[in-house]
Amino acid sequence: MTKYIIRRLLAAIPVLFGLSIILFAFIHLLPGDPAVALLGQHATPELTAEIRAQLGLDQPLWQQYLAYLGQLLHGDLGKSIITNRPIIDEFLLRFPGTVELTVGALIFAVGLGIPLGRYAARHVQGFGDGMVTVISLLGISIPIFVLGLTLQYIFAVQLKWLPASGRLDPRIAIEYHTNFVLIDTLLDGNIPAFFNGLSHLILPAIALGSIPLAIITRITRASVLDVTNEDYVRTARAKGLSERRVGGRHIMRNAWLPVVTVIGLQVGGLLAGAVITETIFSWNGVGRWTVQAIQDHDYFVVQSIILIFALIFLVVNLVVDIGYAFINPRIRYA
Amino acid sequence: MQPFGEFEPAPPAPLTEHVVEVAAIPVRQEEAGADYEVTLQSLNQWQLAWRKFKKHRLALIGLGILSFLLATAVIGPFLLPYDFGTIPVPDQIVYQGRPPGIGHLFGETGGLQRDVLTLVVNGARLSLIIGFSSMLIGVFIGTIVGAIAGFLGGWLDNVLMRVVDVMLSLPLLFVILVASRFFGNGSALLLILIFGFFSWMGVARLVRSLFLSLREQEFVEAARAVGASNMRTIFRHILPNAVSPIVIVASLIVAGNIISEAFVSFLGFGVDASTPTWGNILSNALTFIPLGNWWWPFFAGFAIILTVLSVNFIGDGLRDALDPRSRA
C-alpha cells in the first residue's frame, strides 16, 4: 500500500512538471503585456520598461520559466497585478467560500442521489424507477446557469423564501476566523447567523449539485442492480437476514466502489461549475475571483488558480484510488 | 430476531417471458405445413444499427427534436416576419418587455424590444454550428492522436498520452474562458477552434485503446502481409472498426460544447454580445429577470435543455444500437 502511494506520487511529478510548462507557455502565449495590464494604456515607455524589469519579463523565456519554477517550489505564487497582494493570501481568503459551496453541493448530491438510486434499483422497471431515470436525465441536460437562474427566479424573486445572493445577509456582522461562514458562526455560538448563512447556501448548492446528483443516482442504480443478482445476496436473503441488513451489508458494501469513483470524478466538474454558480448568486469565492481576474487580465492570478485547481484534481484522484482499498479489501495494490 | 421475518420473494418478472414463448409455439406449428418463401436480405452494419436504433423510443424522439431544431436553425430565420439584422431602433426604450402574445409568440425583450422568437431562432444557428463544428475538430485531432499513439506505440505513445494526462488535469473551462477572453474578440470561428482544441483528449484515449486491441487482430496482420502501408492499414482497415465508439463519444462532445458555449457567452467571454446565441440571450436577459421578464431567458434556456437532452437521448440510442453485444 505504502509502495503504491509512493509510486503514484512519483508518477504525478512528470504531470506536474508538464503542467507547469503548459501553464507557463499558455500565459506567455496570451496576447497583451502584464506590465500594460498593471499600468494601463497611457503609461510612459520608461515606466513600462521598469515594471517589466521588476516582473522579470525582460529576461529570456527559459530564465523566466526557471524563476517561475523556483518560485513554485518555494510555495510562492507571486503577487496579483491588480491588488499587489500575495496571491496565496487572496486565495485563502476566498477558497473557504468555494469549499463551503462545493461541499454543500456534494452533500446534496450524495445525500439525495444514493437513496434515489437505491430506490430506483429496488423498484426496477416500475413507475418510480422511470421517474428517477427521467429526473436524472434532466439533471444532466440542464446547464447549471439555467437551473440556477430558474431557482433564483422562483424561490428568491417570486416566492421570496430564500435569499437570492451572497453568503450572508449584509446586515449581519460576524467575526471571521476561518472564513467559513458556517464554521465561524458556530464557533461564536451565533445561531441566527448560522441559519442565515445556511439559507444562503441552499439555492447555490442545489444548482451546483444537480449534475453530480444525476450522475450519482444513475451509477448507484446501475451498481446496486449489478450486485442484487449476485449469489451471495440470494444467500443472505435465504438465511433470513432482514432486508435492511441485506441492503446495507451485502448490497451497498459491494456497490460502493463505482459510486465512490464517480463522486471523486465530480470534484473537477464541481470546481468548474462553481465559477458559474458563484457568478449567478454573487457568492464570494474563487470562481467569481477567477472571472474577475480574467476580465482584469490579471495573468498571475489566473495562472495560479488553474495550477491550484489542477493540483486539487490530481490529489482528489489519488485519494479516490487509495480510498478503494479501504472500501474494497479485495483490491490489492502491488 | 425472526429468521424469515422480512424475506421478500424475487419479482416474478421472468415468468411472463416464458409464457409468451410457449404461446408462440403452436402458431409456428400451424404454419409449418404452409407454403412460404423465405427471402434473405443481408443488412450491413449501419442498417442493423438503424434497426436497433428505431426500437429506442427516446432516441427517436431525440432525433426528431434535434432534426426540428436543425431545420429551424437553417430555414427558420427566413420564415419569421422579423429580420434580425434590420430591426429598427425603437422610438422609445422601454424597461419592461412584453409577455408572450399574438404577434410575438415568445414575447418581447425589454430594452430594444426585440422579438424573443427571432432571437432564439437566430441564436440556434450559431449555438448549433459551434457545438457541431467544434466536435468535428475535436474528433479529428483526437482520432489522429489516438491512432498514432495506439498503432505505433513506443515513446511517441508515451509522450502523447502524458500530454493527454496533463491536459485532462487542467480545469478546462477556466482555460477556455482565459483563451476566449484573450484570443476571442467575440469571433465565433475562434470560439469553435478553442472548443475543438480542448475536446479531443477523451477521443484520443478512446481511439488509442481501440487501436491497441484492433492492431493485434488477424485482419490487420493480413493487410500487412499483403503489403499495405501503415497509413492504409490505419485508415482503411482499423479505423472503420473503431467508428461506432467514436460516434457515441462525439454525441457527448456536441452536448458538452453547446453547454460550454452558453457558459462562456453567459459570462461575457463568448461571441460578441450583440450577436444572438443562446448563451448571449441568457446573459443579456440577466438584469431583466428581477423585473419578472421570465420569457426572455426562458426560451433560450429551454432550447439549450431541449438540444442537450435530445443529443443525450440519441447518444443512449446509439450506444444500444452500435454495441454488438446488445441484441435487439
Side-chain angles (χ1 to χ4, degrees):
Chain A
M1 192 67 195
T2 323
K3 234 185 196 171
Y4 172 73
I5 296 176
I6 292 173
R7 216 184 51 212
R8 281 293 303 264
L9 286 176
L10 286 179
I13 292 177
V15 174
L16 286 178
F17 195 64
L19 204 62
S20 73
I21 292 182
I22 284 195
L23 268 179
F24 180 80
F26 182 60
I27 293 299
H28 280 262
L29 269 175
L30 294 178
D33 185 339
V36 174
L38 179 58
L39 293 168
Q41 300 274 321
H42 304 291
T44 58
E46 295 82 37
L47 197 56
T48 315
E50 197 188 315
I51 293 292
R52 283 178 64 84
Q54 234 179 56
L55 294 171
L57 294 172
D58 52 347
Q59 280 157 8
L61 269 186
W62 64 271
Q63 272 187 11
Q64 286 188 45
Y65 174 70
L66 285 185
Y68 170 64
L69 204 62
Q71 262 188 4
L72 281 186
L73 290 176
H74 287 97
D76 177 10
L77 293 171
K79 283 180 179 175
S80 157
I81 292 178
I82 303 297
T83 61
N84 204 27
R85 292 182 48 192
I87 290 172
I88 192 76
D89 292 356
E90 297 245 348
F91 181 81
L92 290 178
L93 200 67
R94 292 173 172 90
F95 192 51
T98 302
V99 172
E100 219 165 56
L101 178 62
T102 318
V103 170
L106 214 51
I107 290 175
F108 167 72
V110 173
L112 197 60
I114 291 180
L116 273 181
R118 288 180 69 176
Y119 174 83
R122 210 173 309 139
H123 303 269
V124 75
Q125 303 294 340
F127 178 73
D129 181 29
M131 285 304 290
V132 169
T133 306
V134 168
I135 290 173
S136 66
L137 261 173
L138 267 177
I140 291 179
S141 305
I142 300 184
I144 297 175
F145 47 92
V146 174
L147 182 64
L149 288 176
T150 313
L151 289 174
Q152 199 179 35
Y153 181 73
I154 296 176
F155 293 102
V157 177
Q158 288 297 327
L159 297 173
K160 297 194 167 53
W161 287 353
L162 291 164
S165 60
R167 288 176 67 186
L168 198 64
D169 197 310
R171 282 164 295 189
I172 298 178
I174 63 164
E175 266 179 60
Y176 286 101
H177 314 289
T178 59
N179 288 317
F180 287 95
V181 168
L182 295 184
I183 293 178
D184 287 345
T185 48
L186 274 189
L187 281 180
D188 290 346
N190 192 346
I191 299 302
F194 173 78
F195 280 108
N196 188 280
L198 200 61
S199 71
H200 278 82
L201 179 61
I202 294 175
L203 289 183
I206 292 177
L208 183 58
S210 63
I211 294 177
L213 168 70
I215 297 174
I216 290 171
T217 307
R218 280 183 90 163
I219 290 288
T220 309
R221 176 180 176 275
S223 157
V224 168
L225 273 183
D226 258 7
V227 177
T228 309
N229 296 324
E230 294 284 344
D231 289 340
Y232 54 78
V233 172
R234 199 168 342 121
T235 311
R237 288 221 170 96
K239 73 181 179 186
L241 292 186
S242 69
E243 210 33 47
R244 221 184 130 81
R245 219 171 144 73
V246 174
R249 293 209 44 124
H250 295 260
I251 296 180
M252 272 325 276
R253 190 77 208 261
N254 288 290
W256 267 116
L257 198 61
V259 177
V260 170
T261 315
V262 161
I263 294 175
L265 286 177
Q266 294 314 305
V267 173
L270 281 172
L271 290 178
V275 177
I276 205 98
T277 319
E278 288 175 6
T279 308
I280 292 175
F281 290 97
S282 310
W283 188 271
N284 198 5
V286 178
R288 247 178 108 205
W289 186 39
T290 313
V291 175
Q292 195 58 48
I294 296 173
Q295 251 155 9
D296 293 345
H297 287 230
D298 200 340
Y299 296 79
F300 304 122
V301 169
V302 172
Q303 192 179 26
S304 307
I305 294 175
I306 296 181
L307 184 71
I308 292 171
F309 276 25
L311 263 180
I312 294 175
F313 185 72
L314 288 175
V315 169
V316 168
N317 273 354
L318 182 62
V319 169
V320 168
D321 280 357
I322 295 170
Y324 286 164
F326 288 101
I327 294 167
N328 188 347
R330 275 174 301 187
I331 291 181
R332 295 259 176 273
Y333 294 116
Chain B
M1 204 171 99
Q2 291 173 309
F4 297 100
E6 291 172 60
F7 177 73
E8 261 181 51
L15 262 183
T16 51
E17 275 172 35
H18 288 293
V19 173
V20 172
E21 260 177 47
V22 171
I25 291 170
V27 180
R28 278 194 212 134
Q29 280 172 338
E30 275 173 21
E31 277 188 354
D35 243 41
Y36 60 94
E37 251 175 75
V38 181
T39 50
L40 284 178
Q41 189 194 359
S42 70
L43 297 171
N44 69 28
Q45 187 196 358
W46 295 107
Q47 286 168 319
L48 270 175
W50 172 239
R51 227 190 207 186
K52 282 192 213 161
F53 187 83
K54 275 195 294 190
K55 290 192 181 143
H56 202 293
R57 212 186 322 149
L58 283 178
L60 271 189
I61 296 175
L63 191 64
I65 294 175
L66 191 68
S67 321
F68 172 73
L69 285 169
L70 284 174
T72 315
V74 175
I75 56 171
F78 300 113
L79 300 179
L80 288 171
Y82 312 101
D83 183 14
F84 171 74
T86 59
I87 295 177
V89 176
D91 305 333
Q92 58 183 83
I93 304 286
V94 288
Y95 290 105
Q96 275 287 354
R98 233 171 290 163
I102 301 165
H104 298 280
L105 288 179
F106 285 5
E108 267 187 314
T109 71
L112 290 172
Q113 301 178 44
R114 294 212 153 135
D115 178 46
V116 176
L117 179 62
T118 312
L119 283 179
V120 172
V121 168
N122 278 284
R125 281 195 170 176
L126 261 188
S127 294
L128 292 173
I129 288 177
I130 291 175
F132 278 93
S133 32
S134 61
M135 174 274 284
L136 287 179
I137 296 176
V139 168
F140 183 74
I141 302 177
T143 307
I144 291 185
V145 171
I148 293 174
F151 189 77
L152 298 179
W155 65 269
L156 199 57
D157 176 27
N158 240 320
V159 170
L160 289 174
M161 285 305 113
R162 290 299 81 73
V163 172
V164 169
D165 283 350
V166 171
M167 292 211 38
L168 278 178
S169 71
L170 285 173
L172 284 182
L173 273 166
F174 285 26
V175 180
I176 288 175
L177 280 183
V178 177
S180 338
R181 166 73 171 143
F182 285 85
F183 295 113
N185 300 325
S187 127
L189 184 67
L190 266 160
L191 215 56
I192 291 173
L193 290 178
I194 291 170
F195 284 145
F197 186 70
F198 287 110
S199 48
W200 58 270
M201 288 82 73
V203 183
R205 271 196 178 167
L206 175 79
V207 172
R208 172 180 176 269
S209 69
L210 291 169
F211 267 63
L212 280 181
S213 68
L214 286 171
R215 73 169 183 198
E216 304 299 333
Q217 304 220 337
E218 277 145 9
F219 65 87
V220 175
E221 212 175 308
R224 282 225 185 107
V226 187
S229 66
N230 271 352
M231 288 295 269
R232 197 180 159 79
T233 321
I234 289 179
F235 288 105
R236 294 282 308 208
H237 297 274
I238 303 186
L239 199 55
N241 288 291
V243 166
S244 350
I246 298 177
V247 170
I248 294 164
V249 173
S251 74
L252 296 180
I253 295 180
V254 172
N257 284 356
I258 286 177
I259 289 187
S260 298
E261 183 277 322
F263 181 102
V264 171
S265 301
F266 179 79
L267 290 176
F269 297 118
V271 183
D272 186 63
S274 61
T275 317
T277 71
W278 292 335
N280 273 343
I281 297 171
L282 284 173
S283 167
N284 291 338
L286 257 192
T287 44
F288 288 83
I289 294 175
L291 299 176
N293 288 0
W294 56 269
W295 53 90
W296 188 352
F298 174 79
F299 292 104
F302 191 65
I304 298 176
I305 297 173
L306 217 53
T307 315
V308 175
L309 202 60
S310 49
V311 171
N312 279 340
F313 282 156
I314 294 173
D316 254 16
L318 284 176
R319 191 169 305 134
D320 286 356
L322 295 176
D323 184 357
R325 278 168 305 177
S326 83
R327 295 253 168 266

